[in-house]
Amino acid sequence: MERKRLRSRLWDARTVPQMGDPLIGHTDWITSVVFSPDGKVLASGSTDKTVRLWDARTGAQLGDPLTGHTRSIWSIVFSPDGKVLASGSGDKTVRLWDPRTGAQLGDPLTGHTNGIMFVVFSPDGEVLASGSGDETVRLWDPRTGAQLGDPLTGHTEGIASVVFSPDSKVLAAESLYGAVRLWDTLTRQIYTGSLEISTVSKPHFKSNWISHGSRRLLWIPAHYWSMLTSTILFSHGRLVAHSGAMFIIIDVSDFLAP
């Protein structure tokens, strides 16, 4: 295997030039990278079953690799306060780590019956969600590791990505083939009722607005607009927009009010 496939690289987003040398250490494909909320640490997950932590300023590896998973790691995420790092793996478990010490926090979170493809914290940090090839999303208390309620079901394919709304009250999950479902995180109830597929219209060439009828709901930057694949407007006023690089939920009910 070519070593260039096993490297992480850092780039200055303002000027584009690469920052320093590639970050080398993993022995197989790197599947997920994420910065800590304060931007000081970069974490990388790999099919070599490890997570590595790097000093984002110097590129130096911080401590030993985080080991424990028995299959490839597909998703990693920091908690909003940066004190916990979660990793989801093909071994059907989620593991929680202290990024300051590299120690695993508690036992692995078990329950999924297929590999875990995506992990994400709610914006308030109170809930960790995991999406799996078993077609379910599970919610966890990141402080205790306890599962919160029953799995969220409804999809008929594996889960590719999961996201919380900014207020942490709604969770959306996208399947491998692009279907999107929403749940109320308090009641665990799936949003059903009437759905309306909103037309993505471009009333002006450079406007980049998602519109419903004559009402503008959401402006999308040009880079993402060109990749926008679908929008779904739910009857309760939640808008989900999806592209190859973006998956967001926004409450547009105020704009739909008479």
Side-chain angles (χ1 to χ4, degrees):
M1 183 176 292
E2 300 177 18
R3 286 189 64 82
K4 68 180 181 180
R5 295 176 178 171
L6 313 179
R7 303 175 181 180
S8 294
R9 296 174 186 260
L10 298 179
W11 310 84
D12 188 319
R14 299 163 298 182
T15 62
V16 179
Q18 181 176 314
M19 300 173 61
D21 296 325
L23 311 185
I24 301 174
H26 284 293
T27 59
D28 213 329
W29 298 92
I30 295 167
T31 57
S32 182
V33 291
V34 63
F35 280 100
S36 60
D38 63 9
K40 294 180 179 180
V41 178
L42 175 72
S44 56
S46 169
T47 53
D48 68 8
K49 310 171 190 175
T50 73
V51 175
R52 292 177 185 255
L53 303 177
W54 314 85
D55 185 315
R57 183 178 58 85
T58 67
Q61 184 171 316
L62 301 173
D64 295 327
L66 310 186
T67 60
H69 282 296
T70 58
R71 299 192 68 176
S72 299
I73 293 170
W74 296 115
S75 181
I76 54 176
V77 63
F78 280 95
S79 60
D81 62 9
K83 294 181 179 180
V84 178
L85 177 73
S87 56
S89 168
D91 64 12
K92 310 175 190 176
T93 72
V94 175
R95 292 175 186 256
L96 303 179
W97 314 86
D98 183 334
R100 296 164 296 186
T101 65
Q104 183 173 312
L105 301 172
D107 295 327
L109 312 186
T110 60
H112 282 293
T113 59
N114 205 324
I116 294 167
M117 307 305 296
F118 206 89
V119 288
V120 63
F121 281 94
S122 60
D124 61 14
E126 296 296 314
V127 179
L128 174 70
S130 56
S132 168
D134 65 11
E135 305 173 4
T136 72
V137 175
R138 291 175 187 255
L139 304 181
W140 313 87
D141 183 330
R143 292 164 298 188
T144 65
Q147 184 172 316
L148 301 173
D150 295 329
L152 306 183
T153 61
H155 275 298
T156 56
E157 299 100 16
I159 307 298
S161 60
V162 184
V163 65
F164 284 91
S165 60
D167 60 9
S168 301
K169 294 180 179 179
V170 178
L171 180 142
E174 180 193 20
S175 74
L176 292 170
Y177 295 98
V180 177
R181 293 182 182 273
L182 275 71
W183 289 266
D184 184 310
T185 58
L186 296 178
T187 66
R188 309 293 192 270
Q189 295 299 306
I190 194 168
Y191 282 113
T192 54
S194 61
L195 300 182
E196 184 172 353
I197 305 302
S198 175
T199 300
V200 178
S201 60
K202 300 182 181 180
H204 303 288
F205 180 70
K206 294 183 179 181
S207 66
N208 298 358
W209 281 94
I210 294 176
S211 300
H212 177 61
S214 61
R215 300 185 183 188
R216 293 179 175 183
L217 302 178
L218 182 66
W219 183 85
I220 303 293
H223 175 70
Y224 296 110
W225 179 258
S226 63
M227 298 185 289
L228 193 67
T229 57
S230 64
T231 60
I232 302 176
L233 180 61
F234 285 76
S235 56
H236 53 76
R238 302 280 182 174
L239 175 73
V240 176
H242 173 253
S243 78
M246 178 185 65
F247 186 47
I248 60 172
I249 310 171
I250 188 170
D251 188 338
V252 295
S253 55
D254 288 345
F255 298 96
L256 298 173

